[in-house]
Structure formats: structure tokens, C-alpha cells
Amino acid sequence: MLLLLLLLAPLFLRPPGAGGAQTPNATSEGCQIIHPPWEGGIRYRGLTRDQVKAINFLPVDYEIEYVCRGEREVVGPKVRKCLANGSWTDMDTPSRCVNRTPHSERRAVYIGALFPMSGGWPGGQACQPAVEMALEDVNSRRDILPDYELKLIHHDSKCDPGQATKYLYELLYNDPIKIILMPGCSSVSTLVAEAARMWNLIVLSYGSSSPALSNRQRFPTFFRTHPSATLHNPTRVKLFEKWGWKKIATIQQTTEVFTSTLDDLEERVKEAGIEITFRQSFFSDPAVPVKNLKRQDARIIVGLFYETEARKVFCEVYKERLFGKKYVWFLIGWYADNWFKIYDPSINCTVDEMTEAVEGHITTEIVMLNPANTRSISNMTSQEFVEKLTKRLKRHPEETGGFQEAPLAYDAIWALALALNKTSGGGGRSGVRLEDFNYNNQTITDQIYRAMNSSSFEGVSGHVVFDASGSRMAWTLIEQLQGGSYKKIGYYDSTKDDLSWSKTDKWIGGSPPADQTLVIKTFRFLSQKLFISVSVLSSLGIVLAVVCLSFNIYNSHVRYIQNSQPNLNNLTAVGCSLALAAVFPLGLDGYHIGRNQFPFVCQARLWLLGLGFSLGYGSMFTKIWWVHTVFTKKEEKKEWRKTLEPWKLYATVGLLVGMDVLTLAIWQIVDPLHRTIETFAKEEPKEDIDVSILPQLEHCSSRKMNTWLGIFYGYKGLLLLLGIFLAYETKSVSTEKINDHRAVGMAIYNVAVLCLITAPVTMILSSQQDAAFAFASLAIVFSSYITLVVLFVPKMRRLITRGEWQSEAQDTMKTGSSTNNNEEEKSRLLEKENRELEKIIAEKEERVSELRHQLQSRQQLRSRRHPPTPPDPSGGLPRGPPEPPDRLSCDGSRVHLLYK
């Protein structure tokens, strides 16, 4: 007592006028003492009569209680509280002391109620005792419905619309008349509320949360002390934003309440920039939807289903391992506290397995019990209500369905009583006779509706007020299951967007998980060891090409080199160098260069390979084509073999190069190469971390890549095949003009085979960067090496071992010992000898013809002078000199005289 006086003394001793102008009964220090009702008094808690006489003001939050003398009782507010603005609560409603009315003289008003004692939500187990307790408290008050007594007629709906239809029929068609209906479950409330309008009945629900019930056109007489389920959605969205989640999944039981709630959630998350990536539903068996959630890698999951279905869902969740540090479940908060421990024969999971599966989930629950613990209109605090209700229950509260909703059922009776009291004139105004109500009396229904719609009082569940759709406005409680029991972690007031956070949330992984598997994009880069190795080989090949080119240019005056068309060989060396240089950009990727440089690298690959092939292979193809063309001519065109015009060879190479330049230029202008990304299947790391690796590979590509490759590979492939054919046809031809055409044919074989194999293989292996690079680069390196070695190394060996470093003039002065050993030199000498022999033969034939003419003339003269000689009887040959030869012929190296 002394402590209380010390705390109140600064307020009591301060002059009334201090602090500025105030209303007659209000100051900034508290509330002015008010007078008690007639025949009544005021009980000041903690103060004596003398202490009250010594003060004029009471502090904020101080409560006074009215009491009446004798057999009288208080009508109106029995308890008033000092508010911060200096006024007392409910001052617009007077409090009076009136004589008690005997119960036998009070008229009964009946309430028809449907309590779900079992089924999807067995909320009637706790809500029915709460309603009975409220009826006792209301009926004991003489200031509320002093002439009436509220009575309850109820049935067990089992949360089943079919069962509810049967009992609704009994309530409506059996006496007495019910002035109001009180269903519980949303599915039952939907049925009852749609039918009630035809019977002019008000419907007041204590446990319905379906958003569909907010439709005033469909349910014009419906009210509920349980807020709409959509009130959970702003809280859920707020939590999604708090923890940075942008992707969620949902699973729901196929009922109207959950479907409409989820539709509302989908609209709200869309406004907040959050995406519902996967939406599953089930009627009775959640096995397949849960598997689908697992398959779709759902992490943040909102579950909307009744308690019995929740046990089925989390049994499947345990089987699919859809719980733990990677997952967060959002459930409805009106289940029993131990709902996951209740035996259920429809599931085959143990209590330990269920406890493990549900650990850490979040519930959003409408604040159904006033957290301030202040006194309500029934003169009870919320804690006193819980204690009183617990004594009435037959089981432990955690095992009793609807225990959390019990305050809503209790306040529903008070809301009804106050509305009926206002309708009947219990507040001091003339009203209607409630006993005159029948199902055709819409006037009384309208008055009850207006009174209910204007309800505003402090209940054990908090401040009770209805919005325009008849739904209760309330705060949302956020809880988390920690260690098998629910812990409060925050409150949310959606009307003010105010989140009160207690910072008591706990996470299995130490922090809130990600809303999806953290995908780490990693590029597959070329093996650097492979790149360096091939680059070294390519560099050595370029050095070899430079050496061969230098050798060819330095020895261009040597006849042997001159007879190999050295300029074409120079082009071959340059082409090999360009092709080998293409290996370097072919191995460059994002490991070495940035995105902006990638298109230039792509073009470098294309141009170096294209020009390298055209120069290297084109010059060899030109040689073999010329040999085939000249040495397969008919006999009448043998003169073509005598002369070789070099410009025709260069023009052929130029044509091939020009075709490539034109094609590449059009390709680059019309559809240039650019960087593209190939994405592979996700890979799970070996460590148990909530990430997955998304491999990606960079490519050089264009919009119509296949078309361009078809054109490019098409005519290149034809050149390769034609080259192989020409090399085969000319394998036995010998010519002095191109003395290395057999080596060229061998090089063409190797290049063609490597290219024809490598091109399709690299296209198949394009997704394997190391294999594709190895095939392509090594084909370039090997074909270049083989070409250079086959064309130039024999020439180097010949000139080095035989010392043939002289010019053409010096070479003709030397003896033919070394030249005669050369097959082509022999051919040249034989052709020269044949031409000389042909001249001799022509001269001889002309001489023989003259001699024959002379001989014939002599024979004619002789025949005139001497008659013919008779034949020799001996049969011998005629005598005389032998006849001259008829003709001379040459078989290539010798001259033969033929006689007749």
C-alpha cells in the first residue's frame, strides 16, 4: 500500500490546473474521479476511503469497478478504465443499479449451434464449453437482456456439410424458433449462411475463416468473430519480404476455404514481386503432391489443410525428406498444440518421425487471446478466462480441438447478447420484443443486423469489431515450433503494417534457408595443360613453316626447286602457318578474355582457319589438278605438256581464296559470330550444402550457324574428295614441270582424311570443350606438320646430301652423271633424242623414195634393150644386186632398216 501511494503521490499532489487547459473530467495527469450510480458505489482497487477523499485524479490505466447495494445489480459497464486521453472507457453507456429479475420471469431466446466435435477441425471440443461459459456469464448479468435468458440448442456437425444439412433442417423445422445460428467450420458455415437468408436469420460463426464468406451479396446476414483466412496472407507476405524470399510453393486441400485463401495469397505476392512457382492440391491423399514438391525443389512451402490432413501431409513429408535446414513450412495456427503427436490410424509414421518432420515450421495465427491481459466486458482477463475454461475441459488443452478458438466462441456470445440487448431496448431506448421474432419477421432481423454491425467492445480475444463484410479485424500471431513446442516470435498488425519481432526465431541451419537451391553458374573452361601443350606444338609448327618458306625462297634458283613450282609451295607454307595460328584463338575462352572480346576471337578463328585452308590445301589442289588435266589429254593435245603457264596456277589458287573471302565476308556482315552460352544439367556438390552448380559453356555461334556451316563444309568437302580422286588418278604420272606431285598427293590424302573425320567429330563433341579442342587443334597440327614434312623435307635432304646448290647454267655444264640418275632427266633426254631420230628418218625416207624412182627408170630402159631372161631351171633365186631398203623406223632409241 505504501509503495502504491509513493507511485501515485506525484499525480495526486499536483494542482488540477497544471499542464494547460483540460476538459472538466480529464487532465494530462490522468482521469478525474467520477460519481457512482444511484444506489451504488465504486470500488477503488488498492486505495482506502480516506486515500480516495484526498485525491481528485487517478492515473492512466487505473480501473474502477461499480457495485450496487442490496439486491440490485449493475446495468451497463461494470468496470471502467482510465485512458491516456484523460477519459474513462464506455462513457457513452451509463451504468445503473436495478433490481434483480427472477429467472422464472425471464423469457427464453434460443440459439441454434453446430459444433464440430470431430472431423477435419474438431473445434467444438473447446468452443462448446466456452459458449456455455459465456451464456452463464451473460445470463447472470442484469444489465444485459434483463428480461431474457439465452439458451443453446446444439448438434455435432463433424465439420461435414452433409451432416450439417441434416441438423440444419432439424433446427429450422423443430420448435422452438431460433433467433440466430452459430456454425463452426467454414464448409458448414457456407451451407448455413446461404440458407439463412431465406429464413431471415442472422448467422454468427466462431471458427470460419474462408475468404468466400466475406461476400456480402452471397452471404448478406453473416458475421464471424474469427477473422478471414486472408488475414494470414499479409502476415505471410511480410515474412517473405523480411527473409528475402522471392519464390514459394503451395499445397492445399481441395476445399473452398483454402482455394479462396490461396487465390488471395497469389494476388498479394504478385503485388509484392514474389512468385508462386509451384501450386499443388489434393483431395484426400497428399502423397503425389508432396513428391511433386520434392521434384520441383520447393523450399518455402505454404500448406493449407485441416488438422487431420496435416498429419497425412507431414507423414509423406518425412518419407520424401522434405524437411530440415533447407525447408520452411507455413501452416495454419489453429491446430491443437500437439496435433502431430495425436494417434492417427490413417498414417504409418511414428510420433518421433512426425516430430522430426514438423520441427521448425512457422504458423500464422489470428490473435485469439488478448495479449494485454486487461479486463474484458465480462470482467475477466484473458488469463482468467483460460484458467476457468481449462477447469471445464475434460482433457488437457493441448489435446483439445479448438482450444485456441475458444475465446472467439466466448466473445461471439457476448457480441450476440449486446446486439440483442440493443435491439430489445436494454440500453435504455425503446426496442422490440425478441419473443415476437419468427422466420418471416425481417424487421427484427434488420435491427439485429444493424446492432451486430455496430458492435465494438473489449472481449477476452481483444477488441471486437466487424468490418463491412462482417469479418473480425485482429492482429496476427507468428509462432515457430521449437523443440516440439510452439514459441511466439512476433505479432503483425496488417491495418498499420506494423511487425513486432521478438527475435526468438531459431533455424536448424543457423539462418533462414534460401527460397531455392542456390544455383552457382560456373563456366567450363578449356584445360590449361591441354591448351599450353597444343600451343607449344602449334608454335613449333609455325617455326617449321617459316623455316620451310625460307628454304624455298633461298633455293629458288636451283633447277630442282624451280621444277616444283616453288611459289605454290610458298603459299602452302603460309597456309599452314595461318592454320596453326588459328589454334591460339580456338583455345581462348572466358578464362582468358572478357565478353566484349569474344566476338573478335570468334572472327579470328573463322578467318584464320578459312584462309589457312584455302592457301595451304588450295595450292596443293591446284598442282594435282593441273597434272591430271595435262597428262590425261588425248594424243592430239600433247603439245599442252610442253609448256606450263604459271599464271594459270596462281589464278586457280586466287579463285579458291577469293571464294573463301567472299563467303566469310558475307557471313560476317549478314550473320556475325557472337558469344552464346550452352547450359547443362545442374550438378550437386559432394558437400552437404544448399547449392547446386549450373555448368555453362561458351560457344561461337550465329543465328543461322547450321546454314553457314552447311555451305562452308559443303564445298570444302567437295574439294577434299576431288583432291583425293585427282591424287589417285595421277599417282603413276611423271612430269618434269611439277616434280613433287606425288608428295602433294600424299599430303592431300592426309589432310582430307583428317578433315573429313575431325569435322563431324568436333560437331558431336561440341559440348565437351576439352575433347572438341583436342580433336580440332591436333587435326590442324598434324595435317600441317605432315604437309610441311612431305613437301619440304625431301627437297632439303636432296639438296643437302647431293650438293645440288648450282644454278641452271652451271648445272648444264656438268657431266650428266648425277642428272642421268634422275628419272625425269632421262625422260627429257629421250624426248630430245626421239626428235633428232625423227628428223633422220624423214631424211632417209626422202632419199629412199628418190632411189626407188631412179631404179624404176633404169629397169624400163633395160627392158627395152634386152628381152626378159627365161627362168632358171634350177629354181634358184634371180641374180642381181639386193634391193634398197623400203623405210626406216624408230622405236624410241634405235633406228631399224626395213627391207621389202
Side-chain angles (χ1 to χ4, degrees):
M1 180 65 69
L2 179 61
L3 180 60
L4 180 61
L5 288 175
L6 290 174
L7 293 173
L8 299 178
L11 298 178
F12 295 156
L13 299 177
R14 191 167 183 176
Q22 299 290 337
T23 59
N25 65 340
T27 70
S28 60
E29 293 85 2
C31 301
Q32 189 177 10
I33 291 179
I34 57 179
H35 297 288
W38 181 259
E39 294 295 333
I42 298 177
R43 181 181 291 123
Y44 296 92
R45 299 172 182 175
L47 296 177
T48 64
R49 184 186 301 273
D50 295 335
Q51 292 169 345
V52 172
K53 291 180 179 179
I55 60 176
N56 294 323
F57 296 91
L58 293 172
V60 177
D61 291 336
Y62 188 80
E63 292 182 348
I64 61 173
E65 181 180 0
Y66 293 130
V67 293
C68 295
R69 297 185 180 91
E71 297 299 323
R72 296 177 180 272
E73 60 183 0
V74 177
V75 175
K78 190 176 182 180
V79 178
R80 297 188 189 276
K81 180 179 179 180
C82 180
L83 302 177
N85 60 4
S87 64
W88 295 95
T89 57
D90 300 324
M91 290 303 293
D92 56 340
T93 304
S95 298
R96 299 178 297 151
C97 289
V98 298
N99 293 325
R100 294 182 184 272
T101 302
H103 282 271
S104 59
E105 299 179 5
R106 300 172 70 181
R107 294 176 292 276
V109 176
Y110 292 94
I111 302 170
L114 297 173
F115 294 107
M117 308 305 291
S118 59
W121 176 64
Q125 296 175 5
C127 290
Q128 180 179 337
V131 167
E132 293 171 349
M133 190 167 66
L135 289 174
E136 294 173 3
D137 293 342
V138 168
N139 289 330
S140 66
R141 292 277 293 265
R142 295 280 66 83
D143 57 331
I144 301 175
L145 297 174
D147 300 327
Y148 298 95
E149 180 182 3
L150 298 178
K151 292 187 176 182
L152 182 68
I153 300 176
H154 62 87
H155 298 283
D156 178 12
S157 68
K158 299 182 181 179
C159 206
D160 179 20
Q163 191 78 9
T165 303
K166 170 187 174 183
Y167 292 125
L168 177 62
Y169 180 87
E170 294 181 6
L171 289 172
L172 293 175
Y173 285 95
N174 296 336
D175 290 333
I177 292 177
K178 289 76 181 176
I179 200 169
I180 197 169
L181 297 177
M182 290 184 62
C185 295
S186 295
S187 57
V188 174
S189 296
T190 302
L191 169 71
V192 173
E194 279 192 307
R197 61 188 299 180
M198 309 301 297
W199 299 82
N200 293 317
L201 281 169
I202 299 294
V203 179
L204 177 59
S205 177
Y206 53 87
S208 301
S209 60
S210 173
L213 292 168
S214 298
N215 187 342
R216 265 286 176 248
Q217 294 180 349
R218 184 180 175 189
F219 311 106
T221 62
F222 180 79
F223 291 90
R224 52 181 165 184
T225 54
H226 193 300
S228 171
T230 56
L231 200 62
H232 294 263
N233 291 336
T235 307
R236 292 176 179 131
V237 174
K238 191 68 176 180
L239 294 178
F240 297 157
E241 293 176 339
K242 173 180 174 59
W243 288 316
W245 293 328
K246 294 296 183 182
K247 294 184 177 182
I248 62 173
T250 62
I251 179 173
Q252 65 157 112
Q253 185 179 354
T254 308
T255 59
E256 184 180 26
V257 56
F258 300 130
T259 301
S260 53
T261 301
L262 196 53
D263 291 340
D264 178 78
L265 177 63
E266 192 165 12
E267 294 179 2
R268 292 179 184 272
V269 297
K270 187 179 297 183
E271 294 175 359
I274 301 171
E275 178 186 4
I276 296 181
T277 57
F278 201 60
R279 184 170 174 172
Q280 285 288 291
S281 62
F282 65 94
F283 183 74
S284 60
D285 185 7
V288 174
V290 171
K291 289 180 180 179
N292 291 338
L293 290 174
K294 178 71 173 182
R295 188 180 302 112
Q296 294 295 325
D297 193 32
R299 297 304 179 90
I300 313 303
I301 308 169
V302 178
L304 301 175
F305 27 71
Y306 286 116
E307 180 179 320
T308 54
E309 305 303 320
R311 286 189 283 270
K312 296 180 183 179
V313 169
F314 275 89
C315 185
E316 297 299 327
V317 166
Y318 179 82
K319 295 175 183 178
E320 297 297 329
R321 311 303 295 177
L322 201 64
F323 63 92
K325 65 181 180 180
K326 297 180 181 181
Y327 305 94
V328 177
W329 282 83
F330 280 79
L331 302 182
I332 303 169
W334 39 256
Y335 301 159
D337 287 346
N338 67 335
W339 62 272
F340 52 91
K341 297 180 181 179
I342 298 175
Y343 171 74
D344 191 339
S346 62
I347 63 174
N348 56 355
C349 293
T350 64
V351 173
D352 292 338
E353 292 172 344
M354 292 291 291
T355 303
E356 183 181 1
V358 300
E359 178 66 22
H361 76 263
I362 305 292
T363 64
T364 53
E365 175 185 354
I366 304 303
V367 176
M368 302 177 187
L369 193 66
N370 191 353
N373 203 32
T374 58
R375 295 199 172 272
S376 64
I377 192 172
S378 63
N379 199 30
M380 272 196 308
T381 64
S382 56
Q383 188 60 38
E384 291 172 351
F385 166 79
V386 171
E387 293 173 357
K388 188 175 179 180
L389 177 63
T390 302
K391 293 178 181 179
R392 297 176 69 102
L393 298 178
K394 299 178 181 179
R395 294 187 295 179
H396 191 275
E398 292 186 356
E399 300 176 356
T400 305
F403 183 79
Q404 296 176 343
E405 292 77 17
L408 304 179
Y410 182 85
D411 286 344
I413 294 297
W414 277 96
L416 170 62
L418 293 175
L420 294 177
N421 184 64
K422 187 180 295 185
T423 302
S424 64
R429 297 179 297 275
S430 60
V432 298
R433 288 164 46 90
L434 297 180
E435 62 269 24
D436 294 338
F437 174 79
N438 58 60
Y439 298 141
N440 296 319
N441 194 333
Q442 188 173 355
T443 302
I444 296 178
T445 302
D446 292 341
Q447 293 192 32
I448 297 174
Y449 176 88
R450 287 192 292 269
M452 186 74 71
N453 202 36
S454 60
S455 297
S456 179
F457 63 93
E458 292 296 328
V460 294
S461 62
H463 188 67
V464 179
V465 63
F466 300 106
D467 60 15
S469 63
S471 299
R472 170 83 177 275
M473 302 296 295
W475 280 32
T476 307
L477 169 65
I478 307 166
E479 292 183 319
Q480 185 180 36
L481 189 69
Q482 300 176 2
S485 61
Y486 287 100
K487 305 294 183 183
K488 297 178 182 179
I489 59 176
Y491 290 93
Y492 180 65
D493 184 1
S494 59
T495 59
K496 300 179 181 179
D497 191 25
D498 180 26
L499 178 63
S500 301
W501 201 248
S502 61
K503 298 182 180 179
T504 56
D505 51 316
K506 294 182 180 180
W507 304 95
I508 299 175
S511 61
D515 57 358
Q516 59 181 334
T517 302
L518 180 60
V519 179
I520 300 177
K521 296 181 179 180
T522 58
F523 283 97
R524 290 180 175 177
F525 296 126
L526 181 65
S527 170
Q528 296 306 298
K529 293 181 180 179
L530 176 62
F531 178 60
I532 293 173
S533 301
V534 177
S535 297
V536 170
L537 291 176
S538 180
S539 301
L540 295 176
I542 293 174
V543 172
L544 176 61
V546 172
V547 170
C548 294
L549 181 63
S550 302
F551 165 81
N552 218 44
I553 295 174
Y554 181 78
N555 296 286
S556 60
H557 61 281
V558 177
R559 178 182 296 278
Y560 182 71
I561 300 300
Q562 290 177 349
N563 289 340
S564 65
Q565 296 298 321
N567 290 330
L568 292 182
N569 289 341
N570 293 341
L571 293 178
T572 301
V574 172
C576 291
S577 300
L578 293 177
L580 290 169
V583 171
F584 299 104
L586 197 64
L588 294 178
D589 50 24
Y591 184 83
H592 306 92
I593 60 175
R595 295 183 57 182
N596 296 331
Q597 290 79 33
F598 214 90
F600 300 102
V601 173
C602 293
Q603 298 296 341
R605 296 177 183 177
L606 187 62
W607 282 91
L608 288 174
L609 278 176
L611 295 180
F613 181 87
S614 298
L615 290 173
Y617 182 80
S619 57
M620 294 189 296
F621 177 82
T622 300
K623 282 187 178 183
I624 208 71
W625 172 80
W626 184 89
V627 171
H628 180 271
T629 301
V630 172
F631 284 90
T632 56
K633 293 295 180 179
K634 295 181 179 181
E635 292 296 323
E636 64 269 15
K637 296 183 179 180
K638 289 185 178 181
E639 270 318 301
W640 287 26
R641 304 181 187 178
K642 301 178 182 179
T643 59
L644 177 61
E645 299 177 353
W647 70 268
K648 294 182 179 180
L649 302 178
Y650 306 147
T652 304
V653 177
L655 177 62
L656 296 176
V657 174
M659 290 176 61
D660 269 1
V661 171
L662 181 61
T663 304
L664 295 176
I666 295 175
W667 187 353
Q668 185 172 356
I669 294 172
V670 175
D671 189 16
L673 292 173
H674 58 274
R675 177 178 178 263
T676 58
I677 303 297
E678 180 184 3
T679 302
F680 300 90
K682 295 179 182 178
E683 299 175 354
E684 298 296 332
K686 297 181 180 179
E687 298 81 6
D688 185 20
I689 55 178
D690 192 18
V691 298
S692 63
I693 298 173
L694 183 64
Q696 293 182 328
L697 184 61
E698 296 171 306
H699 290 289
C700 288
S701 184
S702 59
R703 289 182 290 106
K704 296 183 179 180
M705 187 70 173
N706 292 334
T707 302
W708 293 109
L709 288 179
I711 296 173
F712 211 69
Y713 287 166
Y715 82 86
K716 295 289 185 185
L718 291 176
L719 284 178
L720 291 171
L721 294 175
L722 183 58
I724 294 175
F725 170 76
L726 296 177
Y728 177 79
E729 287 291 313
T730 58
K731 66 179 190 259
S732 60
V733 174
S734 298
T735 175
E736 179 185 2
K737 301 299 181 181
I738 302 179
N739 56 18
D740 60 351
H741 75 280
R742 289 192 177 90
V744 170
M746 185 181 297
I748 287 177
Y749 286 142
N750 288 279
V751 171
V753 171
L754 287 173
C755 290
L756 293 174
I757 293 176
T758 304
V761 170
T762 52
M763 293 182 67
I764 296 172
L765 300 177
S766 60
S767 298
Q768 304 178 30
Q769 70 280 5
D770 289 344
F773 174 77
F775 265 93
S777 59
L778 292 179
I780 294 172
V781 169
F782 288 154
S783 60
S784 299
Y785 270 83
I786 292 172
T787 300
L788 294 173
V789 169
V790 169
L791 288 183
F792 293 97
V793 171
K795 295 180 176 63
M796 295 179 183
R797 180 174 175 273
R798 178 187 178 94
L799 267 64
I800 291 174
T801 57
R802 298 190 180 185
E804 297 183 1
W805 304 93
Q806 293 81 5
S807 64
E808 182 178 1
Q810 294 173 335
D811 191 52
T812 55
M813 296 174 61
K814 294 184 61 176
T815 61
S817 60
S818 61
T819 305
N820 291 334
N821 293 329
N822 185 279
E823 183 178 349
E824 293 183 358
E825 187 67 17
K826 290 179 179 180
S827 177
R828 185 180 63 82
L829 294 175
L830 287 175
E831 289 180 358
K832 183 179 180 180
E833 184 178 353
N834 282 338
R835 287 194 295 270
E836 293 177 354
L837 289 175
E838 286 178 355
K839 292 180 180 180
I840 295 173
I841 291 172
E843 292 177 356
K844 294 296 183 180
E845 287 181 347
E846 184 179 356
R847 180 62 179 168
V848 168
S849 177
E850 292 178 357
L851 291 175
R852 184 179 296 168
H853 182 69
Q854 293 177 3
L855 179 60
Q856 290 178 352
S857 300
R858 289 178 182 178
Q859 288 179 349
Q860 291 176 358
L861 291 175
R862 183 181 301 174
S863 61
R864 291 188 188 121
R865 294 176 184 176
H866 304 283
T869 304
D872 189 355
S874 61
L877 293 173
R879 299 178 181 178
E883 294 184 0
D886 182 67
R887 68 176 184 272
L888 296 175
S889 66
C890 178
D891 61 356
S893 59
R894 300 179 181 178
V895 177
H896 302 275
L897 297 179
L898 303 180
Y899 296 88
K900 287 187 177 179

